[in-house]
mmCIF file of all heavy atoms in Angstrom:
data_model
loop_
_atom_site.group_PDB
_atom_site.id
_atom_site.type_symbol
_atom_site.label_atom_id
_atom_site.label_comp_id
_atom_site.label_asym_id
_atom_site.label_seq_id
_atom_site.Cartn_x
_atom_site.Cartn_y
_atom_site.Cartn_z
ATOM 1 N N TYR A 60 -44.582 130.358 -10.926
ATOM 2 C CA TYR A 60 -45.734 129.580 -10.432
ATOM 3 C C TYR A 60 -46.442 130.444 -9.415
ATOM 4 O O TYR A 60 -45.809 131.033 -8.530
ATOM 5 C CB TYR A 60 -45.310 128.262 -9.885
ATOM 6 C CG TYR A 60 -44.749 127.375 -10.910
ATOM 7 C CD1 TYR A 60 -43.435 127.359 -11.235
ATOM 8 C CD2 TYR A 60 -45.594 126.510 -11.634
ATOM 9 C CE1 TYR A 60 -42.909 126.543 -12.157
ATOM 10 C CE2 TYR A 60 -45.097 125.704 -12.624
ATOM 11 C CZ TYR A 60 -43.743 125.643 -12.907
ATOM 12 O OH TYR A 60 -43.195 124.945 -13.894
ATOM 13 N N GLU A 100 -36.396 129.201 -1.645
ATOM 14 C CA GLU A 100 -36.658 127.766 -1.385
ATOM 15 C C GLU A 100 -36.003 126.942 -2.536
ATOM 16 O O GLU A 100 -35.650 127.520 -3.611
ATOM 17 C CB GLU A 100 -38.139 127.494 -1.311
ATOM 18 C CG GLU A 100 -39.019 128.002 -2.391
ATOM 19 C CD GLU A 100 -39.103 127.092 -3.538
ATOM 20 O OE1 GLU A 100 -38.740 125.912 -3.440
ATOM 21 O OE2 GLU A 100 -39.497 127.534 -4.640
ATOM 22 N N GLU A 102 -36.932 124.259 -4.420
ATOM 23 C CA GLU A 102 -37.771 123.194 -5.119
ATOM 24 C C GLU A 102 -37.078 122.458 -6.224
ATOM 25 O O GLU A 102 -37.284 121.297 -6.382
ATOM 26 C CB GLU A 102 -39.012 124.019 -5.692
ATOM 27 C CG GLU A 102 -40.109 123.077 -6.279
ATOM 28 C CD GLU A 102 -39.976 122.925 -7.784
ATOM 29 O OE1 GLU A 102 -39.190 123.698 -8.446
ATOM 30 O OE2 GLU A 102 -40.606 122.044 -8.364
ATOM 31 N N ASP A 105 -35.296 119.532 -4.905
ATOM 32 C CA ASP A 105 -36.147 118.707 -4.115
ATOM 33 C C ASP A 105 -36.092 119.036 -2.679
ATOM 34 O O ASP A 105 -36.248 118.227 -1.757
ATOM 35 C CB ASP A 105 -35.800 117.206 -4.293
ATOM 36 C CG ASP A 105 -37.008 116.244 -4.012
ATOM 37 O OD1 ASP A 105 -38.154 116.707 -4.209
ATOM 38 O OD2 ASP A 105 -36.766 115.107 -3.576
ATOM 39 N N PHE A 109 -38.763 126.945 2.778
ATOM 40 C CA PHE A 109 -38.244 128.302 2.782
ATOM 41 C C PHE A 109 -37.204 128.418 3.837
ATOM 42 O O PHE A 109 -37.517 128.482 5.023
ATOM 43 C CB PHE A 109 -39.456 129.266 3.051
ATOM 44 C CG PHE A 109 -40.565 129.080 2.031
ATOM 45 C CD1 PHE A 109 -41.691 128.364 2.362
ATOM 46 C CD2 PHE A 109 -40.481 129.594 0.757
ATOM 47 C CE1 PHE A 109 -42.706 128.135 1.443
ATOM 48 C CE2 PHE A 109 -41.470 129.419 -0.212
ATOM 49 C CZ PHE A 109 -42.574 128.691 0.130
ATOM 50 N N TYR B 33 -42.337 116.438 1.892
ATOM 51 C CA TYR B 33 -42.681 117.813 1.575
ATOM 52 C C TYR B 33 -43.487 118.476 2.705
ATOM 53 O O TYR B 33 -44.199 119.407 2.452
ATOM 54 C CB TYR B 33 -43.403 117.864 0.261
ATOM 55 C CG TYR B 33 -42.649 117.389 -0.910
ATOM 56 C CD1 TYR B 33 -43.289 116.904 -2.053
ATOM 57 C CD2 TYR B 33 -41.263 117.493 -0.928
ATOM 58 C CE1 TYR B 33 -42.552 116.424 -3.186
ATOM 59 C CE2 TYR B 33 -40.537 117.077 -2.074
ATOM 60 C CZ TYR B 33 -41.172 116.563 -3.182
ATOM 61 O OH TYR B 33 -40.479 116.072 -4.251
ATOM 62 N N TYR B 92 -45.879 121.108 0.475
ATOM 63 C CA TYR B 92 -45.649 121.421 -0.969
ATOM 64 C C TYR B 92 -46.371 120.392 -1.836
ATOM 65 O O TYR B 92 -46.147 119.123 -1.596
ATOM 66 C CB TYR B 92 -44.156 121.468 -1.305
ATOM 67 C CG TYR B 92 -43.820 121.541 -2.772
ATOM 68 C CD1 TYR B 92 -44.155 122.628 -3.516
ATOM 69 C CD2 TYR B 92 -43.234 120.523 -3.387
ATOM 70 C CE1 TYR B 92 -43.864 122.785 -4.816
ATOM 71 C CE2 TYR B 92 -42.936 120.617 -4.771
ATOM 72 C CZ TYR B 92 -43.226 121.765 -5.523
ATOM 73 O OH TYR B 92 -42.937 121.850 -6.793
ATOM 74 N N ARG B 97 -47.462 122.350 -7.948
ATOM 75 C CA ARG B 97 -46.413 123.350 -7.506
ATOM 76 C C ARG B 97 -46.972 124.468 -6.733
ATOM 77 O O ARG B 97 -46.874 125.640 -7.035
ATOM 78 C CB ARG B 97 -45.687 123.849 -8.689
ATOM 79 C CG ARG B 97 -44.852 122.739 -9.418
ATOM 80 C CD ARG B 97 -43.865 123.264 -10.402
ATOM 81 N NE ARG B 97 -43.070 122.232 -10.958
ATOM 82 C CZ ARG B 97 -42.044 122.358 -11.758
ATOM 83 N NH1 ARG B 97 -41.687 123.627 -12.073
ATOM 84 N NH2 ARG B 97 -41.319 121.366 -12.219
ATOM 85 N N TYR B 99 -47.734 125.827 -2.576
ATOM 86 C CA TYR B 99 -47.407 125.732 -1.218
ATOM 87 C C TYR B 99 -48.581 126.146 -0.327
ATOM 88 O O TYR B 99 -49.191 127.169 -0.631
ATOM 89 C CB TYR B 99 -46.223 126.645 -0.856
ATOM 90 C CG TYR B 99 -44.938 126.281 -1.649
ATOM 91 C CD1 TYR B 99 -44.735 126.693 -2.893
ATOM 92 C CD2 TYR B 99 -43.946 125.545 -0.973
ATOM 93 C CE1 TYR B 99 -43.613 126.383 -3.642
ATOM 94 C CE2 TYR B 99 -42.763 125.216 -1.664
ATOM 95 C CZ TYR B 99 -42.624 125.692 -2.978
ATOM 96 O OH TYR B 99 -41.488 125.347 -3.635
#
Side-chain angles (χ1 to χ4, degrees):
Chain A
Y60 293 90
E100 52 86 17
E102 187 263 349
D105 204 27
F109 305 100
Chain B
Y33 296 153
Y92 171 66
R97 294 194 174 185
Y99 297 81

